[in-house]
Amino acid sequence: MSGQSLLVPGELSPARSVPGNIRRPEYVGKPAPTPYTGPEVQSAETIEAMRIAGRIAAQAMEEAAKLIAPGVTTDELDRVAHEYMCDHGAYPSTLGYRGFPKSLCSSLNEVICHGIPDSTVLKDGDIVNLDVTAYIGGVHGDNNATYLCGDVDEESRLLVERTREALNRAIKAVKPGRQINVIGRVIESYAKRFGYGVVRDFTGHGINSSFHSGLIIPHYDSPHATTVIEPGMTFTIEPMLTLGTHEYDMWDDGWTVVTKDRKRTAQFEHTLVVTDSGAEILTLP
């Protein structure tokens, strides 16, 4: 891994078009979304719509991930996910969200989150996070995963494997009556076993008809995350673990977040609905 060069911004391709018959989220063409004022507990109809959105997002991510290989650009991954969502009647939620220019986030190596797909070429040994959100039926489904590109070193491979496990453990900790901070407590205690950093300033979030409802899901044990989990709540859990510090820098594009020490980082995410006994994952292909 020490031989890997640090990332630099590539060239952006023109904005991709979305067929006119596909419903847009209300924030498209605006500088920011309208703040969400509805409930965090959703109706059965909303949850069923989110199952559809979540499945499309998961399948779009899976289709894009099939292309991950040395020599492929992150822009090509964006194209595949964009076309999959549009072909299935969904709008790519990130496209136009607060001005984001692409249909997924592609975050490589030291990029924590929100990397913009461009002319960057994947190299042997990279780790590649794809973050895909689909909007259909008036609701969003949001997921991400980190993939291995070619022959990846053991330290990075273990980071990816353990970040996936951190998400799985956090999902199992979701129970009605518990406070939201149980999620971060589980993630942080697991990550500490391996000396990993846990990113604090980027979190999971409530999601429904709003991409980000205002509900915050920290991935560390926050004393402020005292909201009680209730059946019918819908939110994401998306831990970001690092090989070094949790501190970060942001590129001049205003989106791309990189570890301050430029060590590698991995992330996994699912959208969930709380059930009477635990949590159901809505972003399964």
Side-chain angles (χ1 to χ4, degrees):
M1 190 181 74
S2 58
Q4 292 279 326
S5 57
L6 295 180
L7 290 166
V8 295
E11 295 294 322
L12 277 181
S13 65
R16 303 189 197 283
S17 62
V18 177
N21 63 317
I22 292 177
R23 179 178 171 185
R24 272 73 170 153
E26 59 82 23
Y27 53 74
V28 174
K30 294 163 53 177
T34 302
Y36 178 73
T37 56
E40 298 298 343
V41 172
Q42 302 303 311
S43 68
E45 291 76 18
T46 296
I47 292 165
E48 183 55 37
M50 289 181 68
R51 284 193 183 96
I52 295 168
R55 185 165 60 246
I56 291 172
Q59 290 172 334
M61 185 174 73
E62 204 171 61
E63 287 302 306
K66 290 176 183 176
L67 271 71
I68 291 175
V72 175
T73 65
T74 54
D75 188 63
E76 180 67 4
L77 304 179
D78 181 79
R79 181 190 66 78
V80 171
H82 177 93
E83 291 180 358
Y84 186 93
M85 284 185 273
C86 291
D87 287 348
H88 289 79
Y91 185 92
S93 301
T94 60
L95 184 62
Y97 179 78
R98 296 183 182 272
F100 192 85
K102 291 294 175 180
S103 299
L104 59 71
C105 299
S106 55
S107 302
L108 280 57
N109 302 337
E110 71 268 23
V111 180
I112 294 171
C113 57
H114 304 158
I116 300 174
D118 58 20
S119 62
T120 297
V121 176
L122 301 183
K123 297 185 179 70
D124 187 57
D126 283 345
I127 59 173
V128 185
N129 180 272
L130 300 182
D131 192 337
V132 179
T133 310
Y135 178 79
I136 189 172
V139 298
H140 301 268
D142 185 4
N143 68 162
N144 77 57
T146 304
Y147 300 90
L148 310 181
C149 180
D151 185 17
V152 174
D153 68 275
E154 181 75 355
E155 185 180 40
S156 299
R157 189 186 62 75
L158 285 172
L159 174 69
V160 170
E161 183 180 298
R162 290 164 176 167
T163 305
R164 182 191 292 111
E165 176 63 14
L167 172 60
N168 291 340
R169 288 174 180 236
I171 291 170
K172 288 175 184 172
V174 173
K175 306 282 184 190
R178 292 179 173 177
Q179 293 182 342
I180 289 288
N181 57 16
V182 70
I183 294 167
R185 191 176 311 132
V186 165
I187 292 167
E188 187 173 38
S189 63
Y190 179 70
K192 277 184 173 177
R193 289 194 206 175
F194 312 104
Y196 295 155
V198 180
V199 173
R200 300 166 80 90
D201 291 336
F202 299 90
T203 67
H205 52 89
I207 184 170
N208 38 64
S209 60
S210 173
F211 196 169
H212 300 88
S213 74
L215 177 66
I216 302 298
I217 312 293
H219 302 121
Y220 64 99
D221 187 4
S222 169
H224 306 295
T226 55
T227 300
V228 175
I229 298 170
E230 299 177 60
M233 278 184 165
T234 50
F235 54 80
T236 73
I237 304 176
E238 45 188 296
M240 292 149 262
L241 305 187
T242 70
L243 291 176
T245 182
H246 69 268
E247 296 180 347
Y248 67 92
D249 293 320
M250 187 174 287
W251 283 4
D252 291 342
D253 61 23
W255 284 104
T256 306
V257 179
V258 295
T259 53
K260 188 170 277 292
D261 56 13
R262 303 304 190 264
K263 291 186 177 179
R264 287 187 166 188
T265 175
Q267 182 184 18
F268 284 83
E269 173 187 25
H270 276 304
T271 295
L272 312 171
V273 60
V274 181
T275 66
D276 289 336
S277 58
E280 175 192 345
I281 298 171
L282 298 177
T283 38
L284 291 175

